[in-house]
Amino acid sequence: MSEQHFSEVDTSLGVLVRRGGEVVAALGLAADAAVQASLVSAMHLAPDRSLFEAHLPDGPVVGVALHAHDTEIAIVRPTGTEGRTLLDFVVAVPFAFDILEQILNDPYQGITVADHTGTIRYISPVHEKFLGLSYGGGIGKSAEEAIPNSRLRAVIESGKAEIGKPQSFGEGVTRVVNRRPIRKDGRIVGAVGQVMFRDAEAVSQMAAEMNQLRSQLEFYRRELDGLRETREATAELVGDSQAMQRLRHEVATVARLDVPVLILGESGTGKELVARAIHKLGRGAHEMVSLNLAALPASLIESELFGHTAGAFTGSAKQGRAGKFEMANEGTLFLDEVGDIPMDVQIKLLRVLEERVVERLGSHAGKKMTFRLVSATHRDIDELIESGAFRHDLFYRISGVTLRVPPLRQRLEDIPALLAHFVKAFCDRNGLPVPKVEPGVARYLADQPWPGNLRQLRHRIEEALVFSSHELLTLEAFTRNDAARGQPMVIGSSPGLRPPPAAPAAPRLKDHERAAARRVLEECGGNKKRAAEQLGISRSYLYKLLG
């Protein structure tokens, strides 16, 4: 190619040849006399460097200088353009060659370069020593011939990098290897491999530490998910009193175990809320089926529990119906007021809990069932057992774990939180703005007796919300019926202004029945069975009167 043709074709490259200090050839960028002068000056300023930088009228260039006797050759091209990062790096960093030298001689990392045919073009000295090769002994060989189990050719063919892969070099020697394809002008021209020469024990220790960190991360992730799940499932168990904190902890502990749970507590304490929390944490992906045994006639309890076939009894569904046991399969069966279950049904329930097989009424074919049983009662279960009203063996079947829900009087410090909870729930349900609460309301509520526990508290709060403005829940809204309840009225918010106590309300019929039942029980020496017979009532009704 002539000098003129070279200059016309590629003006992005320049070649300057000098012999004995005289220019004998100048091609491309170096054809201009002013450029030649700048290149010569730059070469003189940095005689000890193979690469140099020069500032030309059209911008800076980077060049490489070759010296042979009295002949100097400089090849230059502009800097700062795409694909020229290496030259820019070498020019910008005075100790660039020292960095490259250190990388190629790193005792902890070997480097191998293969071309697009998989032929070795370079192996760093430390890698040659590791492989037992003489200096340059691997060059020209195939990658597989020079390096045991090499995958450089596979990376060249696939074009996909392999990072952090173990490679066996024989005799139990394994190292961590990175392999990357090298592209030029959109095609793969070769591949470079990097081998970590840390000893195997150090690599194993690093891997063990990474696995330990992964395990810890997974543990904390599970713990966080568990805490979030527990908080959501127990959100209805409102209050931060010691009693409620203990109850939430017990619920979270028991919920994931396959054991029956018996929940004890006075009426209105929130036993069903506890049952729902246990279900959500334990078998939340399935159904929770509830049955209040005290709300059903004794004759219907068996049908509700076991279901029935078509025409099993008068009034039964024509198609038959599944019972609560079947409906709760894989989920949770919640039996509320289990203390009221009739004795004949207790026997059948015991058999189901022992065998986990359910037969519908009118059928002789049993179905295998699996469910979580949660029971609850406000009755004194020990007295029921002592009186013969509840089977001792059934008690042990339903009470693998017993949880006790505290009455409101034992956690009055939770009233502010309960007040806020019930106010928000009522307003959300009715699409109302949440009002502010007048000072003194929580203290007033804490001073009241709560025989009906949470159920009674919720009713009082919702009733007060009805008679308050949307902006403020007032103390007056709570005290409006105090006189009718036999309590002293609070006038305004001043505790000192109270009218004389109202006359006590007339005794109700239920009060007379309760007094009579207690008198007869005392006459019978505490024998509830005999007292019920003398009163002409069932023992279950006697227990209701005494409860």
Side-chain angles (χ1 to χ4, degrees), residues 165 173 226 362 410 508 514:
K165 302 295 183 181
V173 178
Q410 293 180 4
R508 297 174 298 170
R514 185 175 291 109

Side-chain angles (χ1 to χ4, degrees), residues 275-453:
R276 284 208 295 261
I278 292 173
H279 169 71
K280 289 178 181 178
L281 288 174
R283 302 199 179 195
H286 302 282
E287 291 293 323
M288 173 175 166
V289 179
S290 303
L291 181 64
N292 189 325
L293 298 169
L296 289 173
S299 58
L300 292 182
I301 290 179
E302 186 175 359
S303 173
E304 286 291 323
L305 282 173
F306 295 89
H308 60 81
T309 59
F313 53 87
T314 303
S316 62
K318 293 181 179 181
Q319 298 82 15
R321 192 177 67 172
K324 301 300 184 183
F325 286 125
E326 291 184 54
M327 296 167 63
N329 191 33
E330 301 293 340
T332 302
L333 176 61
F334 175 52
L335 298 181
D336 198 6
E337 300 301 348
V338 72
D340 292 286
I341 191 170
M343 183 59 69
D344 58 331
V345 180
Q346 289 185 34
I347 298 172
K348 296 183 178 181
L349 175 60
L350 179 63
R351 186 173 70 248
V352 170
L353 296 180
E354 290 175 342
E355 301 174 1
R356 295 287 171 167
V357 175
V358 176
E359 291 182 11
R360 292 189 183 185
L361 299 183
S363 173
H364 298 290
K367 293 183 179 180
K368 194 75 175 178
M369 296 290 159
T370 173
F371 53 85
R372 172 73 172 276
L373 179 66
V374 179
S375 308
T377 182
H378 75 285
R379 309 280 291 278
D380 187 328
I381 201 74
D382 293 328
E383 282 192 9
L384 292 177
I385 294 172
E386 184 181 352
S387 68
F390 201 88
R391 293 180 63 95
H392 200 270
D393 48 1
L394 178 58
F395 168 73
Y396 284 113
R397 281 290 180 182
I398 67 173
S399 62
V401 173
T402 301
L403 300 180
R404 298 183 182 273
V405 184
L408 185 55
R409 64 179 176 275
Q410 293 180 4
R411 57 184 191 107
L412 295 175
E413 62 267 41
D414 289 333
I415 282 184
L418 290 166
L419 173 61
H421 175 74
F422 289 140
V423 167
K424 186 177 186 305
F426 177 85
C427 293
D428 289 348
R429 190 169 68 249
N430 292 280
L432 299 173
V434 178
K436 293 183 178 180
V437 179
E438 188 176 45
V441 168
R443 178 59 182 272
Y444 166 81
L445 295 175
D447 289 339
Q448 306 305 307
W450 298 107
N453 294 291

